[in-house]
């Protein structure tokens, strides 16, 4: 057996690390919604409902607006579950030169579409 045969030919799974970071971000955002920030449309709907817009259509329009945000807390839960399932399917280490290892980009940037 040569030293090359015993050499570890794996590297950290950096894609898995990115998934763990994404899970933390989604969990934090979901917790913010749950803990009192409320629906993203509340900042619009609540002032309108409290006298900001008075007419025969206001109540139904505000109700429709608020209806559009039902399910947002559950969407965060679903996203966390989906990410966690993917994390669970990823190994801690991957073979050398695997796309999820050292080849995985560590720096992200928005690229222009133009």
């Amino acid at each position: 057996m040569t030293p090359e045969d015993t050499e570890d030919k794996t590297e950290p799974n950096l894609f898995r690390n990115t998934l763990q970071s994404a899970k933390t971000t989604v969990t934090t955002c979901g917790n913010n919604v749950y803990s009192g920030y409320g629906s993203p449309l509340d900042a619009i709907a609540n002032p309108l409902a409290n006298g900001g817009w008075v007419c025969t259509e206001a109540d139904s329009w505000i109700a429709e607006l608020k209806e559009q945000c039902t399910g947002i807390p559950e969407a965060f839960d679903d996203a966390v579950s989906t990410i966690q399932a993917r994390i669970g399917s990823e190994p801690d280490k991957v073979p050398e030169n695997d796309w999820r290892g050292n080849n995985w980009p560590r720096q992200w940037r928005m690229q222009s579409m133009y």
Side-chain angles (χ1 to χ4, degrees):
M1 182 179 257
T2 67
E4 291 82 20
D5 293 336
T6 59
E7 188 178 321
D8 183 12
K9 295 186 179 178
T10 62
E11 52 195 42
N13 185 342
L14 300 179
F15 174 66
R16 187 176 197 272
N17 294 353
T18 299
L19 291 170
Q20 290 171 325
S21 178
K23 179 185 170 197
T24 299
T25 299
V26 172
T27 299
T28 299
C29 291
N31 288 341
N32 288 343
V33 170
Y34 280 123
S35 67
Y37 290 101
S39 161
L41 294 180
D42 282 349
I44 298 168
N46 290 344
L48 294 175
N50 293 321
W53 182 24
V54 180
C55 75
T56 56
E57 297 296 318
D59 291 341
S60 62
W61 188 87
I62 292 167
E64 286 178 31
L65 182 65
K66 287 189 169 210
E67 179 69 26
Q68 291 180 13
C69 282
T70 60
I72 287 177
E74 293 82 9
F76 281 105
D77 292 343
D78 291 347
V80 169
S81 296
T82 299
I83 295 168
Q84 183 58 49
R86 182 61 193 256
I87 290 170
S89 72
E90 288 292 329
D92 290 333
K93 293 194 161 235
V94 295
E96 275 184 319
N97 299 316
D98 188 279
W99 66 270
R100 299 165 295 175
N102 292 327
N103 290 325
W104 182 253
R106 291 175 200 77
Q107 298 290 325
W108 294 93
R109 67 178 187 265
M110 295 293 292
Q111 294 188 10
S112 174
M113 295 179 62
Y114 306 102

